[in-house]
Amino acid sequence: MTFNNLPIAPLTPDAFAPYGDVIEVSGQARHFTINDGNTERYHDLAHIDPGPNGKAIVSIFRGLPRQLPFTVSMMERHPQGSQAFMPLSGHPYLVVVAPAGAAPTLDSLRVFLCQSTQGVNYRTGVWHHPLLALDQASDFLVIDRSGPGENCDVVNLSPPGIINAAD
């Protein structure tokens, strides 16, 4: 079986825009002071979409660490709502994404290295790989959809791709 290398890019709002939102404290985010000058609020950082008849829920996912090189052999999407991940454990992690629509191909995959201060919000229907914690088990605050109907499609990639350690 042939494996195709998937390059890793740094996570930036512009590079990730086709797939969703980057959730982070930055000068680019709308922010203002609240609580009698004691708190800086970074406002409305992600479009949370619970879809029709859904509700937004908050969970914590604990991801076991993945070792590089890592084989990407499947992808999933949530056709009825967005899914946001915010790291809680202070460790970098990877995201693998492909545009919403038809099942992804290796050519459509993008891999991003996310810093421990950056979260992601996958738009409704965006293909992504399940959680890819690095180094050690990591907790993530997750905001996604609960409600009626199936909300997880899974496809296998053939051939698979491989993520090598960053140079």
Side-chain angles (χ1 to χ4, degrees), residues 3 13 21 51 55 75 83 95 100 117 120 122 126-128 132 137 144 158 167:
F3 291 88
D21 309 299
K55 70 174 191 166
M75 296 287 281
Q83 190 175 46
V95 297
T117 57
V120 295
Y122 301 122
V126 164
W127 292 98
H128 60 279
L132 291 170
D144 62 351
S158 183
D167 296 326

Side-chain angles (χ1 to χ4, degrees), residues 33-39:
T33 304
I34 60 173
N35 298 335
D36 293 326
N38 231 10
T39 304

Side-chain angles (χ1 to χ4, degrees), residues 138-151:
S138 297
D139 292 343
F140 293 81
L141 182 74
V142 178
I143 303 169
D144 62 351
R145 177 191 190 274
S146 177
E150 291 296 318
N151 192 31

Side-chain angles (χ1 to χ4, degrees), residues 52-132:
N53 302 313
K55 70 174 191 166
I57 61 171
V58 176
S59 306
I60 293 179
F61 289 13
R62 179 164 290 155
L64 298 178
R66 309 293 184 121
Q67 298 298 315
L68 298 181
F70 178 79
T71 301
V72 178
S73 60
M74 59 81 68
M75 296 287 281
E76 68 180 29
R77 70 175 174 186
H78 304 287
Q80 296 195 48
S82 63
Q83 190 175 46
F85 288 80
M86 192 68 202
L88 300 175
S89 298
H91 304 290
Y93 62 103
L94 296 174
V95 297
V96 181
V97 291
T105 63
L106 284 179
D107 292 339
S108 66
L109 300 185
R110 295 281 314 269
V111 181
F112 293 99
L113 175 61
C114 307
Q115 299 305 312
S116 63
T117 57
Q118 295 177 304
V120 295
N121 180 50
Y122 301 122
R123 286 197 180 101
T124 301
V126 164
W127 292 98
H128 60 279
H129 192 277
L131 203 52
L132 291 170

